[in-house]
Amino acid sequence: MRENDLIRSYMAAHLTVASFASHVARCVQKQLLQFDRQAVIHFDSSQNVFHLYGYTQGKMFSLLLTFAEVEEWKAAGPYALDRCIFCELEEKGISIVHMTPYLRSVFSQSWK
């Protein structure tokens, strides 16, 4: 297991739902900005709701999850929430331009 994967496992096990969701949102934001420098990605965590929204690849998107749903994804695996987000984005027509080390971790068979 790579060091980053160990760190992410620790984070999933020990961070609060809001802190973990914010960390994942920053990772997703960074990845989307690498794919599209014109992307605008925002996220909010308040009142037991996590909201990720913005504009990338010529499309607007909005993803809304309750903290209970985030907690379920967090318990499912260290990259399960990231995977959920990227799958939802794909359903909205936002594609993964190419695999990166981060995305390989997100979609690794060992975490499914």
Side-chain angles (χ1 to χ4, degrees):
M1 185 180 295
R2 294 185 346 225
E3 182 179 354
N4 287 345
D5 294 340
L6 288 172
I7 292 168
R8 179 57 86 92
S9 293
Y10 182 85
M11 293 171 77
H14 297 285
L15 288 179
T16 65
V17 171
S19 294
F20 186 73
S22 294
H23 172 74
V24 170
R26 284 190 299 277
C27 292
V28 170
Q29 178 184 47
K30 181 179 176 183
Q31 186 62 75
L32 292 174
L33 284 168
Q34 285 179 353
F35 291 160
D36 176 5
R37 295 205 181 271
Q38 303 302 315
V40 177
I41 315 298
H42 301 282
F43 57 92
D44 298 313
S45 293
S46 61
Q47 299 183 12
N48 296 321
V49 174
F50 170 68
H51 189 201
L52 180 70
Y53 57 98
Y55 179 85
T56 188
Q57 299 178 10
K59 297 172 181 70
M60 294 186 75
F61 69 90
S62 177
L63 303 170
L64 193 63
L65 296 168
T66 65
F67 277 8
E69 291 171 314
V70 171
E71 185 66 50
E72 287 177 23
W73 287 113
K74 188 174 157 265
Y79 289 100
L81 179 59
D82 311 59
R83 193 167 38 256
C84 165
I85 291 169
F86 279 106
C87 289
E88 289 287 326
L89 290 173
E90 187 174 40
E91 287 179 13
K92 296 176 183 302
I94 297 166
S95 59
I96 292 174
V97 175
H98 58 84
M99 283 306 233
T100 63
Y102 163 64
L103 288 172
R104 278 193 288 281
S105 291
V106 169
F107 290 102
S108 169
Q109 292 297 322
S110 64
W111 296 113
K112 288 187 178 180

